[in-house]
Amino acid sequence: MRWSKLFIPTLREKPADADGVGSQFLLRAGYIRQLVPGIYSYLFLGERSLGKIAKIVREETDAIGGQELRLPVLHPAASVVAAIAEGELRSYRRLPQIWHHMQTRFDEQKHSRPDLLRARQFLVSESFSFDLDSAGRDVSYQKHVDAYSKILDRCELKYIVAEGPAGATFVVASEAGNSVVVRCAGCGYAATLDKATARPTPPSIADPDGDFAPAPFHTPGRKTIADIADFTGLPETSQMKRLVLVADGQPVLALVRGDHSLNETKFVQVMKATDFRPAHAEEILEWFGAGGGSLGPVGVQNMRIMADEALRGRSNMIAGANKDDYHLRHVTPSEDFETEYFDLRQVVPGDACFRCSGALDFIQCIEIARVVKSGCNTGTYHLYPERVLSAAVELNHDQDGMALLAAIAPFDVVITPVSIAETALASASQEIYESCHKMHLDTLFDDRDERPGVKFKDADLTGIPYRITIGKKLAEGMVEVVERRSKKREDVGMEHAAAFIAAKVAAETRP
């Protein structure tokens, strides 16, 4: 294709309304344009790049036995697929099945920042597996883990596979992301923040020795953990924080250490709840006889009490007295009240790996894909092709623009004569262009009547992996090959240039 005939609206300056390196360079390189906040159009280069990513996704999903469907846009894909499966998969002989599709989705609840990673409109590849039993489901699950790993390997993304609440999440470390993964560099443990488990930091001070009975003390106007810590001179780690929740219509008292927070995802999983919410003020008053600032577990008989594992073995702590403006000293879990213990808390910086006790890193990430065991014999799997492109740009760029891998770049090579007006350069460029086509390379011929510097800047900005420059060395039968990522320059014989590029591209794009 000839650059002069294409619509590639490159920009020299950073767009004022772009947030994030990925969005900035995709806008500047003419890959995308924003219609309204959170809604993007993919222009020619962007559509070619996204098409290559989609092709890789399809190839690897098909390779594990996936069958591509086209589903209605206005209905949730999961419900449509479930209806088809319920009506058609009536015999175990039809199992296993893997069905997948790719579709543009729209989510008004998403942020409307001018950033592809938080766009309201997004492309998603969804896959659904149906198996005879949980063992078969686990096989299908692992097939998708392997397939997604191959997809990201082929797109040359450095990714982390992190444990999630019901499966795993594929993420790419980047400050542009809005997900957090907890990872141990020592043993390799990685989990999403809503799943991560860790050894808590020890309490700031040891619990008092002695077998004491709970003793009330007056705490006028002190309602928060910080208020009580300031009033008593004891650290927040010496207190029990309480949360009154309603899960599937039933009240529950959840307890965590004073300096910890409840992880709602863990709570829902433990409760196996389909719906939960914080209790209302009038409900709290009815159940406890006191307002929210003075609640505690001692004497509570009308609801389930759940305590985080960090409270197991603790003694003589401070808790609310279920009387306004009063708290209790010397409260010991499992002695002064009955409770069940679960991992309920959110991990925090400073915690240690529960496997090897090593230090945990909290890594800002872009979520690329998610695999979930959604039932005893089913699984659901999601991958976001646009995030693959955004993450590739976030990870592979310099001050001059993007540096994409050939597997996902819109073109493999750009042929750039320093002057299209010189007959010898134009003729040699055309010959190399035709040779590249014969080698099945995606080739862009920059035939514009522009200064060499403009062409070079545009080639760098658009991230095309290789550039063949035809200039003054042509008199010696040589052209210059420039590798975008490394900026490495190499003189190659004109007749060998296409084969030279083809070998490079083949090494990069080999599945």
Side-chain angles (χ1 to χ4, degrees):
M1 293 186 176
R2 297 175 181 273
W3 198 310
S4 64
K5 305 298 183 183
L6 301 176
F7 180 57
I8 306 176
T10 58
L11 304 173
R12 289 286 167 260
E13 302 298 327
K14 171 186 171 182
D17 59 349
D19 188 12
V21 171
S23 294
Q24 290 171 21
F25 279 126
L26 288 168
L27 282 163
R28 286 186 56 198
Y31 280 54
I32 61 173
R33 284 295 181 266
Q34 181 176 261
L35 178 63
V36 295
I39 305 294
Y40 290 86
S41 297
Y42 279 79
L43 306 185
F44 174 70
L45 293 184
E47 177 60 18
R48 284 183 66 91
S49 187
L50 201 58
K52 286 190 173 184
I53 295 168
K55 182 174 181 289
I56 292 172
V57 172
R58 287 188 168 101
E59 287 175 351
E60 296 298 342
T61 309
D62 289 349
I64 62 171
Q67 304 162 72
E68 186 165 9
L69 313 178
R70 183 176 294 276
L71 302 177
V73 175
L74 299 179
H75 298 271
S79 63
V80 174
V81 167
I84 297 171
E86 183 178 358
E88 304 292 340
L89 301 181
R90 297 176 180 175
S91 169
Y92 70 91
R93 293 184 180 87
R94 292 275 185 103
L95 303 177
Q97 294 282 328
I98 295 175
W99 300 343
H100 71 102
H101 78 125
M102 198 171 294
Q103 190 176 88
T104 297
R105 291 287 183 79
F106 189 80
D107 187 350
E108 275 288 6
Q109 301 304 312
K110 291 209 169 195
H111 296 187
S112 58
R113 286 173 54 181
D115 185 335
L116 277 176
L117 297 175
R118 300 162 182 83
R120 289 181 290 159
Q121 177 183 288
F122 56 95
L123 184 65
V124 60
S125 169
E126 290 182 290
S127 185
F128 306 89
S129 63
F130 303 91
D131 291 279
L132 182 61
D133 51 28
S134 60
R137 177 208 59 193
D138 291 347
V139 171
S140 293
Y141 174 89
Q142 189 58 47
K143 283 182 178 180
H144 281 84
V145 170
D146 295 341
Y148 284 3
S149 297
K150 290 178 181 178
I151 290 166
L152 300 189
D153 286 340
R154 289 177 64 180
C155 296
E156 207 174 81
L157 289 183
K158 295 180 180 178
Y159 60 91
I160 302 167
V161 182
E163 294 180 15
T169 300
F170 289 73
V171 297
V172 170
S174 171
E175 290 299 320
N178 58 354
S179 298
V180 175
V181 160
V182 176
R183 184 174 63 176
C184 175
C187 69
Y189 169 74
T192 57
L193 201 57
D194 52 1
K195 169 67 175 178
T197 298
R199 300 178 188 274
T201 55
S204 301
I205 62 172
D207 294 334
D209 292 329
D211 185 12
F212 302 105
F217 64 103
H218 194 209
T219 53
R222 273 75 173 187
K223 297 183 179 298
T224 68
I225 294 291
D227 289 341
I228 300 302
D230 182 66
F231 183 73
T232 62
L234 296 173
E236 294 184 0
T237 58
S238 295
Q239 299 183 55
M240 280 183 274
K241 182 186 293 184
R242 82 292 166 279
L243 299 99
V244 186
L245 304 165
V246 179
D248 290 339
Q250 299 300 313
V252 181
L253 179 62
L255 304 172
V256 296
R257 202 171 77 180
D259 61 326
H260 290 162
S261 298
L262 180 73
N263 183 311
E264 294 182 357
T265 302
K266 290 180 180 180
F267 172 80
V268 169
Q269 284 201 314
V270 168
M271 291 295 300
K272 297 180 173 59
T274 57
D275 179 62
F276 93 101
R277 61 174 174 81
H280 301 313
E282 59 273 17
E283 293 173 323
I284 290 173
L285 186 61
E286 177 186 348
W287 295 331
F288 290 87
S294 302
L295 305 182
V298 177
V300 173
Q301 302 290 332
N302 56 352
M303 66 185 65
R304 187 177 181 184
I305 301 177
M306 305 167 62
D308 179 63
E309 286 286 354
L311 295 177
R312 189 191 291 270
R314 297 294 303 276
S315 61
N316 297 317
M317 300 183 72
I318 294 174
N322 296 325
K323 180 180 178 181
D324 287 338
D325 292 331
Y326 279 86
H327 282 72
L328 297 174
R329 302 182 193 272
H330 308 313
V331 177
T332 299
S334 294
E335 182 177 308
D336 297 315
F337 62 92
E338 293 297 323
T339 186
E340 304 166 80
Y341 293 96
F342 300 96
D343 175 23
L344 297 176
R345 73 183 185 91
Q346 187 90 5
V347 299
V348 293
D351 290 344
C353 177
F354 81 100
R355 290 179 179 172
C356 70
S357 299
L360 293 175
D361 297 319
F362 286 67
I363 305 171
Q364 201 77 19
C365 295
I366 300 169
E367 180 182 321
I368 302 293
R370 180 173 294 189
V371 290
V372 176
K373 298 176 182 179
S374 54
C376 63
N377 64 337
T378 58
T380 58
Y381 316 92
H382 298 80
L383 185 142
Y384 303 95
E386 289 161 309
R387 294 186 187 179
V388 172
L389 178 57
S390 291
V393 178
E394 292 284 348
L395 298 182
N396 301 293
H397 68 271
D398 56 27
Q399 63 181 6
D400 297 319
M402 305 181 290
L404 297 177
L405 184 74
I408 64 173
F411 291 96
D412 300 326
V413 58
V414 56
I415 296 170
T416 309
V418 296
S419 173
I420 196 67
E422 294 188 31
T423 303
L425 299 186
S427 176
S429 298
Q430 179 65 31
E431 185 176 336
I432 295 172
Y433 177 65
E434 292 173 358
S435 296
C436 287
H437 267 295
K438 291 178 182 178
M439 292 283 181
H440 304 290
L441 293 169
D442 284 332
T443 309
L444 179 60
F445 183 3
D446 192 347
D447 62 336
R448 295 175 295 168
D449 186 14
E450 290 279 6
R451 291 178 290 107
V454 172
K455 294 183 177 183
F456 296 158
K457 284 184 179 296
D458 280 345
D460 284 346
L461 184 61
T462 54
I464 298 172
Y466 297 97
R467 184 179 83 230
I468 300 175
T469 304
I470 298 92
K472 61 183 180 180
K473 293 182 181 179
L474 182 64
E476 305 168 15
M478 307 295 286
V479 295
E480 183 182 65
V481 174
V482 181
E483 188 177 84
R484 174 65 185 89
R485 285 195 177 186
S486 65
K487 300 290 183 73
K488 180 181 177 181
R489 299 171 182 269
E490 192 169 350
D491 291 337
V492 178
M494 173 186 157
E495 69 275 14
H496 302 303
F500 181 84
I501 297 295
K504 292 274 191 181
V505 170
E508 286 185 12
T509 59
R510 189 176 295 117

